[in-house]
Amino acid sequence: AATYDVRSVEQKWQRVWAELDPFRADDAAVVEGRREKRYALTMFPYPSGDLHMGHAEVFALHDVLARYWRFRGYEVLNPMGWDSFGLPAENAAIRNDTHPATYTYANIETQLSSMKHYGLSFDWSRRLHTSDPEYYRWTQWLFLKLREQGLAYRKNSPVNWCPQDQTVLANEQVLSDGTCERCGAEVTKKELTQWYFRTTHYAQELYDGLDALQDTWIGKVANAQRNWIGRSEGAHVTFDVEGHDPVTVFTTRPDTLFGTTFMVIAVDARLAETLVTDEHRAELEAYRDEVRKATDIDRLATDRAKTGVFLGVHATNPLTGERIPVWATDYVLADYGTGAVMGVPGGDQRDWEFATAFDLPIVRTTEPPADFEGEAYAGEGTAINSPAPGVASALDLNGLPVAEAKSATIAHLEQIGHGAGTINFRLRDWLLSRQRYWGAPIPIVHCPACGEVAVPESELPVRLPELRGADLKPRGTSPLGAAREWVEVSCPACGGPAERDTDTMDTFVDSSWYFFRFLSPNDDTQAFDPALAEAWGPVDFYLGGDEHAVLHLLYARFFTKALRDLGLITWDEPFSSYLSQGKVINNGRKMSKSLGNGIDLGAQLEQFGVDAVRLTLVFASPPEDNIDWADMSPTGSLRFLQRAWRLSGDVTSAPGTDAGGGDVALRRVTHRTVAEAETLLESHRFNVVVARTMELVNATRKAIDSGPGGADPAVREAAEVVARLLSMVAPYVAEEMWDRLGHAPSVAQAAWPSVDPALLVAESVTAVVQIQGKVRARLEVAPDISAADLEALALADPAVVAAVDGREVRKVVVREPKLVNLVV
Ligand code: ANZ
Ligand code: ZN
C-alpha cells in the first residue's frame, strides 16, 4: 500500500505554517467585539534541557482544544513562553563557570525548535521569557504596586530554610514530609528578615471563590486549595491568668470549654517566656532548644510522644472559675491561631495524650456513642458535664448537640466579655525573598536615614549585576551582596549613601502574572494593557500538572485579586476552567534517572514522527489519567495515519462537489461523528474523538472498496471530515490530506464541518412481531412508519406467515414503529 514520507511531510508543513502564521491572535477582532474570544493557556515550561514526554503529552492535549475553538470560529489566544528564572540555571552556571543566562537561553532555543517541530498552534508573536529585563521590569513594578497597597511587607520571623539550596522556602515549597520540594533536603528553621506578600488579606475570598469553580476545576484541585487555605470556624476565648494580662486562645470547639483542664502555649511563642516563673525558666529554655530542631510536621504529628514544661502559673476557666495549670509544649505552633490552646483531653487526642503523660484531669463534654472505644471523642453527640454535676455556672449546655452548644457558648462568652466567634485560616503570608542570584531583584533601597525606599518606577528594571560561576555559590546570604558596586547606591529619597536589597524574588512571582503579560508582551509602557485584559480575560481553559494545584494556582489567584483592587482589571478569578493532565509513566513506574526507565521524546519523534506520537498520547486515555508508555503502540498509530492518508488519494470527485447525492449510509456516519465530536471536545474527552475518527476512517475505506466507490461525493465529504478531525491531533498528515483533497492553503484555516440534522435521525428502528406474545420476527423499519404500513409488513413477513400457518388472525395490535402483536 502507498505510504507518505513522515519526515518530508513534517518539513514541508513547518515551512508553510511559518509563512502563513495561521495561529496569530487578532486583538482588534476581540476588542471591537467582532469575534467571541477564547483564551487557551497551558503552563509554560522551565528551560531545563529539551522537552520531555510530559511536555509532549500536555501540549498535545492542549492543542486539541485550541485548534477546535479556532475551527468553531472563536478568536483564540494560545500563547507560549518560558518560566526562565530559577535554580537549575544557577546551579549549572556554578558547575560550568558560566552565567545562568547561557544555560537558560540555549535551552529556550532548543525547546522552541522542538515545539515548532511538534506542530503546536501557538501564537509565537507573544513569546516571552520571565528572565528578560523587559519582563522582570514589570514583575518589579507589580511588587512596588502591591507594596503601595500594603500587600507586600518585610518582617522578621522564623522561616523555612533549605540547607542544601541555602535559601528560604515558602510554606508551600516544603513538602508534607518536611523536605524541600526542589532538592529533597530536610528543611530547618532560621530567624530572618524577609519580604512577604499578604496573601492572608484575601484568605476568605480565595476560599469562597472555589465554590464557583468546583464544577469547572477538577474537584480535587479545588479541594487541595481549600485544605491549604484551611478555614476553621470557631471562637477566641480569653482566660484570666494570675499575675499577668489575660491570654486568648483559638478553638474550633468552644462547646468543650467546660472540659478544659489545662492551657498549653507554644514553647517557642514569646508568651511562654513572658508567663514562665523564674523557678521554671531554665527548664523551659532547655526544652525550647531541643524543640527548635524539629519541623512543624514532626511537631503536629499525632503519634509523637507528648512533651512539655509547667510554667508555674495558673489561668481561670471563664465559665466555672476553676484554676487550670498553664504548660508549654511543642504540639502547639507559635504562628497559628494565637499560639495558645485550651487543653480539652476529652475532645482532642493530642490533649488526651498530654493529660495522660502529665497526670492532668480528663473530663468528657460530648457523649460518645455507646460502642465508642477510643480515647478523645471529637464527633457529634450531646453535651455532658457542661457544667459537671454540682458545679455552678450561668451557662448550661447539657443535652445540646454540638452546633447548638457552640453557638450558645459563643453568645455567652460575648456577653461576659470573655471571647467572640471568629474564623481562622491556616494560610500564611507568602514569603517571597530568596537568597539566590537568578531571579528578579527586589526593587528596594535600604537607607540608614529613610529606611526602606522604593526604586522609582522610571529606574526600573533594577537589572541583575553580572555575576558568574563561583560568584553564585550559595553562602546563606544572597550572592548579589558581593556585587558591591551594584549594592552601593544613593538613596532615591535623600541622596545619601544607601544599599540595594540583595534578595531576589521567588520565581513563583514571575509565573503569577505571565498570563497578563501575554496580552501585550512587547509593551514597554505598562505591565499589560487593561483594555486587552478586559477583552481576553479571564483564561477560559488552563491545562497543567497537578503539582501546581496549590502553589501556582493560589498565587495566580492572589495576584489577580490584587490587580483587581489596583483597578487594572474587573474580573477576579484568573482561570475559568482548569484541567490537570495525568503523567506519562513507563512500565507502571514514574520515569526517572535512577530507574533508568526514561523515554526520550526526541528518539520517539525520530522513529514514529510527530503525528504518531501525538496521536498515541491523546488516544491513550482521558486527559486526567496516567499513560503507561509501555502499553502504547506508536507503530499502530502510524499505521492508522497512513490508512487515513490513503483515503485522500482514493477520492476521485472534484473539490466542492455537493455531497447531497452521495451514499446516505456513509453520510450518516460522517455527520454523526461530527456531532458527537463537538460534545466530546467541549467536555475534554479527546481520546474518544480519536476513536470516533478511527471508525469514520474504517467506514470510508469500506465505502471506497466495497461500497459506492471513491467517486461518490459522500466519500469526499467523509475524507474531508477525517482531515479536519485529525488536524487537531496529527496536524501534519491532516495538512497533507487536505492538500491532496484539493484544498489550500492549510486545514488550520478551514471551517468546521456543519452537521445536517436530518442525517442524525436514526435511519431505522427494529420492530418486533409477536404471535400470542411470542417473538416471531424482527423488522427493520423507518422510524416514522405508519401503523397500516407496519401491519402490512408484519403480515407479509415469511416467518410470520409460517407461524400463523393458515389460522385466522383474530386481533392485531400495532404500536408503531416498534411492535406488532397478533392473536390467532
Ligand atoms: C479546644 C478543642 C477541643 C479543640 C476539641 C479541638 C477539639 P484547626 O481546625 O486546624 O483550625 N489549636 C489551636 N491553635 C493551635 C496551634 N497554634 N497549634 C496547634 N493546635 C492549635 O484546629 C483548631 C484546633 O486546633 C483548636 O481547637 C485547638 O484545639 C487547636 F475537642 O481547642 B481546639
Ligand atoms: Zn535616604
Side-chain angles (χ1 to χ4, degrees):
T3 55
Y4 67 95
D5 178 58
V6 170
R7 195 137 333 160
S8 61
V9 163
E10 288 180 359
Q11 281 162 1
K12 168 177 161 192
W13 290 102
Q14 268 181 71
R15 270 196 312 273
V16 176
W17 294 331
E19 233 164 77
L20 282 178
D21 199 7
F23 310 115
R24 193 183 275 255
D26 181 358
D27 291 325
V30 174
V31 171
E32 292 159 15
R34 276 184 278 119
R35 267 170 186 268
E36 206 177 320
K37 68 92 185 179
R38 282 286 186 276
Y39 188 169
L41 186 68
T42 182
M43 290 178 182
F44 63 163
Y46 183 82
S48 49
D50 202 348
L51 300 183
H52 53 64
M53 289 301 284
H55 294 122
E57 184 204 7
V58 62
F59 293 152
L61 292 169
H62 179 80
D63 214 37
V64 175
L65 197 63
R67 286 177 184 263
Y68 174 63
W69 278 343
R70 206 171 282 112
F71 268 136
R72 299 314 306 265
Y74 296 111
E75 193 61 37
V76 176
L77 175 56
N78 185 26
M80 186 36 70
W82 278 269
D83 189 12
S84 50
F85 268 141
L87 280 182
E90 196 165 335
N91 292 338
I94 296 167
R95 259 195 327 274
N96 308 327
D97 193 24
T98 52
H99 190 275
T102 313
Y103 169 96
T104 304
Y105 290 93
N107 285 338
I108 288 177
E109 288 311 319
T110 305
Q111 293 194 350
L112 173 66
S113 96
S114 294
M115 284 191 207
K116 289 194 168 164
H117 177 209
Y118 204 53
L120 300 166
S121 67
F122 292 128
D123 175 353
W124 286 114
S125 71
R126 309 209 176 221
R127 168 182 172 185
L128 59 77
H129 320 125
T130 59
S131 57
D132 290 352
E134 296 74 24
Y135 185 92
Y136 71 70
R137 167 185 183 181
W138 299 109
T139 306
Q140 293 172 335
W141 181 83
L142 286 165
F143 170 88
L144 293 178
K145 285 291 144 192
L146 264 60
R147 182 170 168 272
E148 279 169 23
Q149 299 288 304
L151 292 172
Y153 68 96
R154 222 157 75 109
K155 76 171 174 194
N156 184 286
S157 70
V159 295
N160 301 306
W161 178 259
C162 173
Q164 171 89 23
D165 293 332
Q166 290 276 307
T167 189
V168 304
L169 300 172
N171 283 345
E172 288 84 343
Q173 289 163 325
V174 183
L175 301 181
S176 59
D177 63 353
T179 59
C180 168
E181 68 144 12
R182 280 261 145 85
C183 74
E186 185 98 11
V187 175
T188 58
K189 289 268 177 184
K190 189 167 172 172
E191 186 96 13
L192 280 177
T193 301
Q194 301 281 286
W195 286 98
Y196 290 81
F197 282 132
R198 206 180 296 281
T199 42
T200 52
H201 178 71
Y202 294 108
Q204 183 74 54
E205 209 194 327
L206 288 167
Y207 189 89
D208 291 344
L210 293 169
D211 288 344
L213 296 171
Q214 186 73 39
D215 298 336
T216 54
W217 286 38
I218 289 187
K220 69 176 182 192
V221 175
N223 285 337
Q225 293 230 346
R226 245 181 225 114
N227 287 338
W228 189 262
I229 298 167
R231 182 180 187 277
S232 301
E233 270 181 45
H236 280 137
V237 182
T238 304
F239 290 74
D240 292 333
V241 179
E242 292 164 4
H244 290 277
D245 291 339
V247 170
T248 298
V249 303
F250 169 70
T251 176
T252 47
R253 294 291 303 274
D255 59 301
T256 64
L257 187 46
F258 283 106
T260 302
T261 55
F262 58 95
M263 178 186 284
V264 255
I265 314 280
V267 55
D268 45 348
R270 217 139 272 155
L271 183 60
E273 267 172 68
T274 313
L275 296 181
V276 73
T277 57
D278 288 341
E279 193 191 334
H280 295 270
R281 189 173 302 275
E283 205 190 335
L284 173 70
E285 282 168 5
Y287 176 53
R288 187 189 53 211
D289 292 344
E290 193 52 39
V291 168
R292 281 256 157 98
K293 295 179 194 145
T295 64
D296 286 1
I297 313 289
D298 292 335
R299 289 178 54 169
L300 286 174
T302 41
D303 57 359
R304 186 175 160 91
K306 295 292 169 287
T307 53
V309 169
F310 178 49
L311 296 179
V313 291
H314 286 82
T316 310
N317 185 322
L319 298 183
T320 60
E322 282 164 346
R323 287 177 86 227
I324 54 171
V326 182
W327 287 65
T329 185
D330 67 349
Y331 74 87
V332 175
L333 300 181
D335 62 355
Y336 184 68
T338 63
V341 169
M342 57 188 230
V344 183
D348 184 296
Q349 185 60 25
R350 289 168 303 177
D351 293 345
W352 178 288
E353 286 159 16
F354 191 82
T356 310
F358 296 106
D359 223 1
L360 298 162
I362 297 174
V363 179
R364 283 200 192 283
T365 51
T366 309
E367 179 138 61
D371 59 354
F372 180 73
E373 283 175 357
E375 298 174 337
Y377 176 69
E380 290 299 325
T382 53
I384 50 174
N385 296 319
S386 300
V391 175
S393 166
L395 178 69
D396 187 346
L397 304 175
N398 288 318
L400 293 181
V402 171
E404 280 175 43
K406 271 189 194 178
S407 43
T409 310
I410 291 171
H412 181 75
L413 289 170
E414 285 174 355
Q415 202 186 339
I416 63 171
H418 268 277
T422 184
I423 290 162
N424 209 50
F425 292 94
R426 193 150 37 235
L427 184 70
R428 297 283 81 115
D429 283 341
W430 170 11
L431 167 52
L432 70 106
S433 319
R434 293 292 178 278
Q435 290 70 45
R436 295 298 300 247
Y437 172 77
W438 195 228
I442 291 174
I444 292 287
V445 167
H446 300 282
C447 168
C450 316
E452 277 169 26
V453 182
V455 172
E457 278 177 32
S458 60
E459 288 173 26
L460 299 180
V462 175
R463 284 171 192 269
L464 283 166
E466 281 299 316
L467 297 178
R468 63 195 334 269
D471 300 338
L472 305 175
K473 277 223 173 81
R475 46 173 76 78
T477 58
S478 172
L480 295 184
R484 294 314 299 172
E485 271 177 38
W486 180 86
V487 171
E488 287 161 18
V489 288
S490 43
C491 167
C494 73
E499 296 203 345
R500 288 193 190 284
D501 199 299
T502 57
D503 286 349
T504 52
M505 293 187 224
D506 181 0
T507 55
F508 276 100
V509 182
D510 310 329
S511 55
S512 291
W513 74 281
Y514 77 116
F515 49 97
F516 287 100
R517 188 65 183 165
F518 276 139
L519 303 174
S520 48
N522 304 312
D523 192 336
D524 59 5
T525 62
Q526 55 193 343
F528 61 92
D529 182 343
L532 291 177
E534 193 63 26
W536 284 110
V539 169
D540 295 282
F541 178 72
Y542 196 18
L543 184 69
D546 64 4
E547 67 274 22
H548 291 301
V550 173
L551 295 121
H552 165 58
L553 291 182
L554 191 72
Y555 292 155
R557 296 180 64 217
F558 163 75
F559 257 76
T560 302
K561 293 182 191 306
L563 291 173
R564 177 203 59 199
D565 289 348
L566 283 164
L568 292 172
I569 53 169
T570 58
W571 34 278
D572 52 28
E573 283 290 345
F575 314 123
S576 303
S577 81
Y578 172 78
L579 185 63
S580 63
Q581 84 281 358
K583 292 194 170 29
V584 187
I585 58 175
N586 189 21
N587 281 309
R589 324 266 301 256
K590 204 179 142 182
M591 290 188 209
S592 78
K593 278 213 179 78
S594 58
L595 290 173
N597 67 341
I599 302 285
D600 180 51
L601 174 62
Q604 299 290 315
L605 297 178
E606 187 72 25
Q607 193 178 349
F608 303 107
V610 167
D611 285 345
V613 170
R614 287 180 59 162
L615 184 102
T616 305
L617 288 166
V618 175
F619 183 46
S621 66
E624 55 275 26
D625 290 359
N626 287 349
I627 297 173
D628 193 335
W629 195 251
D631 300 339
M632 297 298 124
S633 169
T635 317
S637 299
L638 184 54
R639 226 180 296 124
F640 161 71
L641 293 172
Q642 295 284 8
R643 221 169 119 70
W645 170 83
R646 278 196 291 274
L647 296 180
S648 59
D650 292 342
V651 170
T652 54
S653 60
T657 307
D658 179 14
D663 179 64
V664 176
L666 180 59
R667 296 203 72 208
R668 284 184 196 281
V669 178
T670 305
H671 283 253
R672 215 179 305 131
T673 304
V674 175
E676 240 186 291
E678 291 173 3
T679 322
L680 292 165
L681 287 158
E682 289 294 351
S683 51
H684 312 147
R685 288 154 69 202
F686 308 139
N687 56 322
V688 188
V689 176
V690 175
R692 294 287 175 275
T693 309
M694 290 174 169
E695 288 162 20
L696 180 58
V697 167
N698 290 343
T700 315
R701 172 49 56 200
K702 220 170 117 199
I704 293 170
D705 291 350
S706 52
D712 190 294
V715 168
R716 162 169 288 280
E717 181 182 48
E720 290 184 352
V721 164
V722 168
R724 278 173 287 186
L725 291 177
L726 268 188
S727 74
M728 297 179 283
V729 183
Y732 288 108
V733 71
E735 290 286 18
E736 200 58 23
M737 285 182 73
W738 196 244
D739 185 37
R740 293 225 297 172
L741 288 163
H743 297 293
S746 165
V747 69
Q749 292 178 335
W752 186 249
S754 57
V755 174
D756 179 351
L759 290 167
L760 297 182
V761 179
E763 59 193 300
S764 68
V765 292
T766 306
V768 171
V769 186
Q770 296 179 333
I771 301 176
Q772 322 290 63
K774 203 163 168 216
V775 176
R776 293 295 181 173
R778 288 195 162 81
L779 307 171
E780 287 303 307
V781 300
D784 54 354
I785 193 166
S786 69
D789 285 354
L790 183 56
E791 180 178 339
L793 271 182
L795 292 171
D797 184 87
V800 174
V801 172
V804 170
D805 196 19
R807 286 173 290 175
E808 184 203 344
V809 176
R810 288 193 286 124
K811 199 168 162 205
V812 181
V813 180
V814 181
R815 294 275 175 273
E816 73 278 10
K818 292 217 163 138
L819 179 74
V820 180
N821 201 10
L822 308 180
V823 181
V824 294

